[in-house]
């Protein structure tokens, strides 16, 4: 059955997540439209990463539904999410340090292979076709993310900002329709952060995908997002354009702080 091309790409409806007696998400709902960059903000402990983990299948929420391309993903195993079209990066960069940048990227293309064990063992033509397609996608990303010069270097010894771009490339080589970015500016210097907004727009436009972004760097979120959703204590406290959310009293109180600096963020 063809994917549903009407309505939002992602619809989160009344999602509840509990850890014992602690309610991490208390009935959160929002949409991410096709081609949209959506920021998800909130103070530490507000439920942002928990929501990412529910969307990407790491956690199974207790109530509510998550619908991607018109189909519920609730109960789907986490290893199916990449195949459905959901890619993700993490707060802590998780690369194979002893492997080259090229090989790290090829790991991200693994789920696109359909040839199976015996076809790979016998090196049948279908296997060579899939490998060629993966290498073409890798070359495209090496250029787009300025990784060509380090392509054959083990990832473990590279600067942190470069490692962040490698993880982004690995998520993109799987050709996701929705890209979840979990604190992509974390650990970067001011110059690297300043370049991220343009990079995210280029990625969105080049691959025709949607981005859901969790980030504490408010200037980045407000400059790149077309919609912002704010959480506090697992509850949604605001949703709208960056200007609407920036000026929402509950957001100012809970996250930005009641100051002139908050309004200038």
């Amino acid at each position: 059955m063809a994917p549903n091309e009407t309505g939002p790409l992602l619809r989160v409806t009344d999602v509840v997540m509990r850890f014992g007696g602690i309610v991490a998400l208390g009935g959160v709902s929002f949409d991410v439209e096709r081609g949209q960059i959506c920021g998800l903000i909130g103070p530490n402990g507000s439920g942002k990463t928990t929501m990412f983990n529910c969307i990407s299948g790491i956690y199974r929420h207790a109530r509510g539904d998550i619908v991607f391309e018109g189909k519920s993903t609730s109960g789907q195993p986490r290893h199916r999410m990449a195949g459905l079209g959901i890619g993700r990066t993490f707060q802590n960069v998780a690369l194979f340090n002893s492997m080259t940048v090229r090989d790290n990227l090829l790991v991200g293309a693994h789920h696109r292979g359909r040839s199976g064990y015996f076809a790979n063992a016998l090196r049948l033509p279908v296997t060579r076709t899939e490998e060629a397609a993966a290498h073409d996608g890798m070359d495209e990303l090496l250029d787009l993310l300025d990784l060509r010069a380090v392509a054959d270097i083990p990832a473990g010894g590279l600067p942190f900002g470069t490692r962040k771009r490698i993880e982004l490339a690995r998520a993109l080589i799987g050709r996701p329709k929705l890209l979840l970015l979990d604190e992509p500016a974390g650990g970067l210097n001011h110059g690297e952060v300043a370049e991220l907004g343009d990079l995210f727009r280029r990625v969105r436009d080049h691959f025709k995908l949607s981005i859901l972004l969790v980030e504490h760097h408010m200037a980045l979120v407000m400059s790149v997002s077309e919609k912002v959703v704010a959480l506090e204590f697992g509850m949604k406290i605001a949703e709208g354009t960056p200007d609407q959310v920036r000026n929402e009293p509950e957001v100012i109180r809970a996250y930005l702080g009641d100051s002139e600096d908050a309004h200038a963020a």
Side-chain angles (χ1 to χ4, degrees):
M1 184 180 296
N4 185 355
E5 295 184 357
T6 63
L9 180 68
L10 176 73
R11 171 157 285 168
V12 176
T13 304
D14 194 30
V15 167
V16 173
M17 182 70 201
R18 301 186 182 93
F19 298 100
I22 298 173
V23 179
L25 295 170
V28 176
S29 301
F30 64 90
D31 295 343
V32 178
E33 303 295 335
R34 297 170 189 276
Q36 186 177 62
I37 300 178
C38 178
L40 187 61
I41 67 171
N44 288 331
S46 61
K48 305 182 300 298
T49 296
T50 299
M51 176 57 72
F52 262 33
N53 287 339
C54 290
I55 294 171
S56 55
I58 294 175
Y59 294 160
R60 293 201 173 186
H61 46 283
R63 193 185 78 204
D65 201 8
I66 297 173
V67 175
F68 180 71
E69 286 200 305
K71 295 182 180 181
S72 175
T73 65
S74 299
Q76 290 275 6
R78 69 186 71 177
H79 68 268
R80 290 287 308 279
M81 296 304 170
L84 293 176
I86 300 175
R88 178 179 177 175
T89 65
F90 292 83
Q91 291 181 25
N92 299 316
V93 177
L95 299 176
F96 296 97
N97 290 333
S98 63
M99 292 168 56
T100 66
V101 173
R102 290 182 189 276
D103 288 340
N104 268 280
L105 266 60
L106 289 175
V107 169
H110 176 74
H111 75 275
R112 295 177 62 85
R114 297 291 184 268
S115 53
Y117 173 79
F118 289 107
N120 279 274
L122 297 173
R123 302 294 299 161
L124 297 181
V126 64
T127 299
R128 295 194 292 273
T129 299
E130 289 179 352
E131 288 181 352
H135 279 84
D136 287 343
M138 176 184 62
D139 286 338
E140 178 185 21
L141 286 163
L142 291 175
D143 291 332
L144 182 66
L145 299 182
D146 194 23
L147 294 169
R148 176 73 63 181
V150 297
D152 297 307
I153 298 174
L158 295 171
F160 186 72
T162 304
R163 288 164 56 80
K164 284 268 192 175
R165 281 185 282 123
I166 296 167
E167 187 178 43
L168 175 59
R170 186 175 63 185
L172 288 169
I173 199 172
R175 292 297 189 265
K177 298 173 184 178
L178 174 66
L179 180 62
L180 308 177
L181 299 177
D182 197 352
E183 297 194 22
L188 301 183
N189 61 43
H190 290 298
E192 291 168 331
V193 172
E195 296 172 354
L196 280 183
D198 287 339
L199 175 60
F200 295 158
R201 293 188 192 94
R202 289 204 311 272
V203 164
R204 185 267 308 272
D205 296 342
H206 186 86
F207 293 104
K208 305 294 189 295
L209 49 74
S210 302
I211 295 175
L212 181 58
L213 167 70
V214 163
E215 183 53 65
H216 284 295
H217 197 290
M218 292 305 301
L220 173 62
V221 174
M222 295 301 181
S223 68
V224 76
S225 300
E226 288 130 2
K227 179 170 83 171
V228 177
V229 177
L231 303 180
E232 183 187 23
F233 298 123
M235 304 294 293
K236 183 175 73 175
I237 59 173
E239 179 177 1
T241 66
D243 282 341
Q244 289 170 334
V245 172
R246 179 189 288 116
N247 293 295
E248 171 63 45
E250 284 297 300
V251 174
I252 294 171
R253 176 193 58 77
Y255 188 75
L256 298 179
D258 192 6
S259 69
E260 293 182 1
D261 290 341
H263 292 280

